[in-house]
């Protein structure tokens, strides 16, 4: 249902009320974001309010973008349902928003093959390191979702803890 909602949308989906005061911390006064949808194959992140996409971003993924994350160090971005669970204002990638990976199922799958699931999966900006790496290749993270620094400022302001994030292949 979520995929059909996103696919059926028209327009650029980039209208919102995010203001800046010259710092990386912005304020947001638009409709609440009720879910985040990531389509890895399309390299897109959608912020959705109800059934309406309100912002769309081009993304970079883990350095091995095809397939779901199975264990720490595999370079893959997870797939499935997770939740926004933390915010890092001091991220080395400008700002970052945490994703609740690993789930209990992720832990069990990694353990079953004798590996650790890893963690610290975020939506984050580029920061100095990412600005260099993203020029070399689109998918450069260790499994996170990367967007430009100005874009993470918007996302950081618009999201709240507990918002579901659906990550699709």
């Amino acid at each position: 249902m979520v995929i059909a909602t996103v696919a059926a949308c028209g327009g650029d989906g980039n209208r919102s009320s995010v203001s800046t005061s010259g710092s990386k911390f912005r304020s947001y006064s638009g409709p609440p974001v009720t879910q985040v949808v990531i389509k890895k194959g399309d390299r897109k992140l959608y912020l959705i309010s109800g059934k309406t996409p309100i912002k769309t971003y081009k993304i970079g993924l883990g350095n091995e973008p095809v397939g779901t994350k199975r264990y720490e160090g595999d370079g893959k971005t997870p797939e499935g349902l997770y939740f926004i669970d933390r915010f890092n204002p001091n991220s080395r990638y400008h700002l970052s928003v945490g994703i609740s990976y690993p789930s209990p199922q992720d832990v069990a799958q990694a353990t079953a093959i004798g590996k650790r699931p890893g963690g610290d999966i975020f939506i984050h900006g580029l920061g100095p390191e990412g600005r260099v790496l993203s020029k070399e290749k689109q998918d450069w993270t260790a499994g996170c979702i990367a967007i430009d620094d100005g874009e993470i400022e918007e996302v950081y302001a618009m999201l709240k803890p507990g918002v579901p994030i659906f990550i699709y292949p």
Side-chain angles (χ1 to χ4, degrees), residues 67-72 74 76-80 82 101-118:
T68 191
K69 186 160 200 61
R70 296 284 179 219
Y71 56 87
E72 185 173 56
D74 66 5
K76 296 185 181 297
T77 301
E79 296 172 0
Y82 298 95
Y101 177 89
S103 70
Q105 181 180 349
D106 296 321
V107 172
Q109 288 175 344
T111 302
I113 59 172
K115 304 270 188 176
R116 295 171 22 156

Side-chain angles (χ1 to χ4, degrees), residues 6 36 71 115 125 149 154 166:
V6 172
V36 178
Y71 56 87
K115 304 270 188 176
D149 289 349
E154 292 178 352
F166 299 90

Side-chain angles (χ1 to χ4, degrees), residues 5-22:
T5 301
V6 172
C9 299
D12 67 4
N14 285 322
R15 290 172 294 245
S16 71
S17 302
V18 179
S19 63
T20 182
S21 62

Side-chain angles (χ1 to χ4, degrees), residues 43-162:
R43 301 301 190 280
K44 297 282 185 175
L45 179 153
Y46 303 90
L47 298 181
I48 299 173
S49 182
K51 294 183 178 182
T52 305
I54 55 176
K55 291 292 276 188
T56 303
Y57 301 95
K58 183 180 171 187
I59 60 172
L61 299 168
N63 57 37
E64 295 293 331
V66 177
T68 191
K69 186 160 200 61
R70 296 284 179 219
Y71 56 87
E72 185 173 56
D74 66 5
K76 296 185 181 297
T77 301
E79 296 172 0
L81 169 61
Y82 298 95
F83 296 90
I84 301 303
D85 67 351
R86 61 203 183 278
F87 293 78
N88 182 357
N90 300 311
S91 171
R92 73 190 236 196
Y93 299 107
H94 194 59
L95 292 170
S96 59
V97 177
I99 298 171
S100 64
Y101 177 89
S103 70
Q105 181 180 349
D106 296 321
V107 172
Q109 288 175 344
T111 302
I113 59 172
K115 304 270 188 176
R116 295 171 22 156
D120 287 338
I121 301 296
F122 288 87
I123 302 167
H124 61 65
L126 300 178
E129 180 181 351
R131 280 192 287 281
V132 172
L133 294 172
S134 66
K135 289 179 184 174
E136 296 171 15
K137 61 183 188 170
Q138 178 179 10
D139 299 316
W140 56 271
T141 76
C144 294
I145 297 129
I147 56 180
D148 289 337
D149 289 349
E151 294 169 337
I152 192 61
E153 291 174 7
E154 292 178 352
V155 170
Y156 194 93
M158 295 171 77
L159 290 178
K160 303 288 181 225

